[in-house]
Amino acid sequence: EAVERAKNKFKFRIVSAQVFERLMRMCLTKMHIYLSLYLKLKPSEEGGAAKKANPQSSDRWKRISLPIKAYVKSMVNFLETLTDPTMTHLLLRHAERLLAYIRPFPKIARKLLKLSLQVFGSVESNRVQAFFLVRRLAVEMPYPFIGGCYKGLY
């Protein structure tokens, strides 16, 4: 009976590993595009990319901020559990693309910085990608955050 209630509780069920893999791949490669389209973000004058835009300026931000927070928090927690260097590289790139959506949540950004610095110090094949992420965090996060980036890289 409890299993039946649990089945009815979820709106979607993914029963195929192939469908799950495709869904994950889509999220990791295109989520930043879909979020900027939903929030109707206008590209900035300097870069022309949606990643430079401020998602908090959107009228829809209040409605979607909690699901975005849950998504980026889950992504960071997933990154913490990874052992495969290829998947780690993919998630670091994904986190860099989602940085505009991570910026409003400093606690998640600090955890992402900590994980990026761990990868920077340990995994040779992902060192450059981890450095790029730390650099973007240092540039895009508010002022005191850059100090932690410098200390961690030193």
Side-chain angles (χ1 to χ4, degrees):
E1 185 180 309
V3 174
E4 195 62 38
R5 275 190 303 203
K7 284 182 181 179
N8 293 334
K9 189 176 182 180
F10 299 111
K11 291 183 180 181
F12 302 101
R13 270 186 72 204
I14 300 173
V15 292
S16 167
Q18 187 179 19
V19 172
F20 179 75
E21 179 191 350
R22 286 184 180 180
L23 178 65
M24 288 298 291
R25 188 178 301 146
M26 187 273 310
C27 286
L28 293 177
T29 57
K30 301 195 187 296
M31 184 59 80
H32 63 289
I33 297 169
Y34 297 138
L35 288 174
S36 65
L37 287 173
Y38 178 78
L39 291 172
K40 298 179 181 176
L41 296 179
K42 301 208 177 2
S44 66
E45 296 79 34
E46 57 195 55
K51 65 183 177 183
K52 300 271 186 192
N54 182 8
Q56 290 175 302
S57 65
S58 171
D59 296 336
R60 296 179 171 187
W61 175 252
K62 272 191 175 180
R63 192 176 333 153
I64 198 168
S65 64
L66 289 178
I68 288 176
K69 182 178 182 179
Y71 178 79
V72 295
K73 190 174 183 180
S74 297
M75 180 200 59
V76 171
N77 289 336
F78 183 48
L79 178 62
E80 189 174 27
T81 63
L82 286 177
T83 55
D84 179 36
T86 307
M87 274 303 287
T88 302
H89 181 81
L90 187 64
L91 239 61
L92 288 172
R93 274 186 40 213
H94 181 57
E96 188 177 354
R97 291 177 186 148
L98 282 180
L99 203 55
Y101 305 101
I102 295 171
R103 192 181 317 125
F105 311 111
K107 189 175 179 181
I108 297 172
R110 279 192 298 275
K111 187 172 182 181
L112 181 61
L113 173 65
K114 180 181 168 189
L115 292 171
S116 301
L117 291 171
Q118 285 175 356
V119 171
F120 179 78
S122 63
V123 182
E124 183 72 33
S125 60
N126 291 330
R127 187 165 287 160
V128 173
Q129 190 63 45
F131 175 77
F132 285 155
L133 181 56
V134 171
R135 181 193 165 282
R136 287 275 314 273
L137 282 165
V139 169
E140 294 198 18
M141 292 300 291
Y143 169 67
F145 199 87
I146 196 169
C149 296
Y150 284 145
K151 286 179 187 175
L153 288 174
Y154 183 69

